[in-house]
């Protein structure tokens, strides 16, 4: 129905990567509804490989502190290899996003120290009261990771529809061994993504910009 399409578009338009959160927690029932909705995502052979650890209260603070300590003394080792490069337009979009963020928070793009400090905000979880760790069965490989991508999108859209802000973070998932140890996950679980979430701080300067979207003509190759 057109009304459903319009509603979906409003939610898609409303989702963005929040980088400044208020401290008040999301009610547990709202979190459960978000995960329940995200769990309706499609998956290869209906495997539904996604599992998610969600922290709240003191658990978030314990994880945040331990993560910062790990980052200070360790090296990242993601389960899912990060891109080797961002060629062409992909690199242009990446740089534009970075410059937009630096501009919003008042960082000169040549100020390497300030840029590094801003990057560390990832591991503070942008002060979010919650973080979700999405993990999959490692033996499912790329297909399990693909399926979990659908779950991540479902999570973020469901959260947006509930008035909850999110930011997906590959940087946090880069410390996969630490995350497995901290949460007692089995070695067979592949850590794919972190999603920090909570209620946005509308006055935080990092939340003042929105990334551009590619035009349909750049995405669609319509044949016949």
């Amino acid at each position: 129905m057109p009304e459903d399409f319009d509603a979906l578009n409003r939610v898609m338009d409303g989702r963005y990567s929040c980088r400044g959160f208020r401290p008040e927690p999301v009610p547990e029932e709202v979190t459960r509804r978000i995960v329940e909705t995200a769990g309706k995502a499609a998956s290869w052979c209906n495997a539904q490989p996604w599992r998610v650890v969600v922290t709240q209260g003191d658990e978030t603070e314990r994880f945040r502190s331990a993560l910062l300590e790990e980052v200070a003394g360790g090296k990242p080792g993601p389960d899912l290899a990060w891109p080797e490069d961002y060629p062409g337009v992909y690199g242009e979009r990446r740089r534009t996003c970075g410059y937009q963020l630096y501009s919003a928070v008042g960082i000169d793009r040549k100020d390497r120290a300030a840029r590094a400090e801003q990057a560390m905000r990832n591991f503070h979880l942008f002060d979010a009261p919650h973080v979700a760790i999405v993990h999959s069965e490692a033996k499912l490989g790329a297909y399990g990771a693909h399926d979990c991508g659908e779950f991540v999108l479902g999570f973020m859209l469901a959260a947006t529809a509930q008035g909850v802000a999110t930011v997906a973070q590959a940087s946090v998932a880069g410390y996969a061994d630490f995350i497995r140890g901290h949460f007692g996950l089995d070695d067979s679980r592949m850590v794919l993504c972190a999603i920090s979430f909570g209620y946005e701080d509308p006055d935080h300067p990092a939340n003042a910009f929105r990334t551009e979207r590619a035009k349909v003509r750049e995405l669609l190759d319509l044949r016949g």
Side-chain angles (χ1 to χ4, degrees), residues 126-211:
F126 298 109
D127 300 325
H130 308 277
V131 67
I133 304 295
V134 180
H135 55 100
S136 173
E137 169 57 54
K139 289 185 177 180
L140 297 181
Y143 286 97
H146 175 278
D147 292 343
C148 285
E150 298 202 32
F151 175 86
V152 169
L153 176 60
F155 186 104
M156 293 189 293
L157 293 181
T160 300
Q162 289 279 351
V164 175
T166 61
V167 58
Q169 297 173 272
S171 55
V172 174
Y175 292 83
D177 283 341
F178 158 75
I179 288 173
R180 271 189 292 272
H182 183 87
F183 291 114
L185 302 179
D186 192 270
D187 287 344
S188 67
R189 303 306 295 178
M190 179 168 56
V191 177
L192 294 171
C193 182
I195 309 171
S196 293
F197 69 99
Y199 295 109
E200 70 169 340
D201 177 358
D203 297 324
H204 197 291
N207 292 335
F209 78 97
R210 298 291 183 271
T211 54

Side-chain angles (χ1 to χ4, degrees), residues 16-20 100-106 118 121 126 201-210:
Y16 77 103
S17 294
C18 181
R19 295 179 176 87
Q100 285 181 292
L101 173 59
Y102 299 146
S103 177
V105 297
Q118 177 62 40
R121 293 289 298 151
F126 298 109
D201 177 358
D203 297 324
H204 197 291
N207 292 335
F209 78 97
R210 298 291 183 271

Side-chain angles (χ1 to χ4, degrees), residues 21-22 29 38 44 51 97 99 109 112 114 140 150 153 172 176-177 200 207 218 223:
F21 293 88
R22 304 201 309 264
E29 179 56 29
W44 186 267
R51 295 293 182 272
C97 178
Y99 294 153
R109 65 180 65 179
R112 293 180 179 272
L140 297 181
E150 298 202 32
L153 176 60
V172 174
D177 283 341
E200 70 169 340
N207 292 335
E218 300 176 67
R223 312 256 180 134

